[in-house]
Amino acid sequence: MLYIVGTPIGNMQDMTMRAIETLKGVDVILCEDTRQTSKLVVRFELNKKLVSLHQHTSDDKTKMLLEEYENIAYVSDAGTPGISDPGGKLVQLAIEAGHDVVPIPGPSAVATALSVSAFPADKFFFLGFMPKKGQQRTFDLIKDSQYTVCFYESPHRIIKTLEKLKTELESDRQMMVARELTKKFETIYRGTAEQILEQVKEKGEFTIVISPKK
Ligand code: SAM
């Protein structure tokens, strides 16, 4: 059995009871980064072996781990595995090897941000991280989107991306920038790209939500 376990995106109190119970019950926890997941092990007294598994782990090693352990949990550094995070390949290999795969849901930055955006969220476009190359296509897509658009951005590029949104989108296009969701310095910026640029601090983790084209 492979359990894909969602973990907090900052605030440890968002760890679910089912996630704790699951992590305590498995033979091994595979994780994106053992240093990060050790914090969960200590905090929730999981007392469990951690083995690292990330996007550079070979398929052979992944298959070996799937053979070696009967009950396995996978966690990424934060949030829901597979959502702009490793985990997808593991699920694919586990299914091919005949394992049952069980989702243990938890927070995800994109859903958390959307839930307070005030923009329609019955349908939305999620773009993952803004690509580093070929961005123009992405900006064109955002510009013409009939749906709310969400994407992740790093602190190093948040200003540059907002500046580009300011020049590419209609000047009154509304957006929301969620910084450090669920953490001590959580800040929600609302308004146009220009208004947000005047306030935003270039530090922390960011999720951007943009209203649909009018
Ligand atoms: N799998 C994760 C999830 O479900 O939320 C996302 C992993 S992705 C590698 C990490 C990116 O998600 C960050 O660079 C940031 O853009 C966004 N993110 C993660 N935590 C966040 C938070 N607390 N506040 C705002 N954005 C966050």
Side-chain angles (χ1 to χ4, degrees), residues 179-198:
R179 170 176 171 254
E180 294 284 88
L181 286 165
T182 77
K183 303 187 204 176
K184 187 174 176 193
F185 296 107
E186 176 179 277
T187 320
I188 308 276
Y189 305 96
R190 297 177 197 273
T192 62
E194 186 172 13
Q195 289 166 337
I196 294 174
L197 269 166
E198 286 163 11

Side-chain angles (χ1 to χ4, degrees), residues 7-11 32 76-86 106-113 126 129 151-155 178-183 204-208:
T7 59
I9 56 168
N11 191 324
E32 186 179 358
S76 56
D77 283 352
T80 301
I83 310 292
S84 299
D85 255 352
S108 184
V110 60
T112 308
F126 175 53
F129 278 100
F151 62 95
Y152 292 151
E153 190 50 288
S154 78
R179 170 176 171 254
E180 294 284 88
L181 286 165
T182 77
K183 303 187 204 176
E205 298 198 274
F206 293 92
T207 300
I208 302 182

Side-chain angles (χ1 to χ4, degrees), residues 83-97:
I83 310 292
S84 299
D85 255 352
K89 194 64 199 277
L90 172 67
V91 171
Q92 185 197 324
L93 294 172
I95 290 166
E96 282 169 15

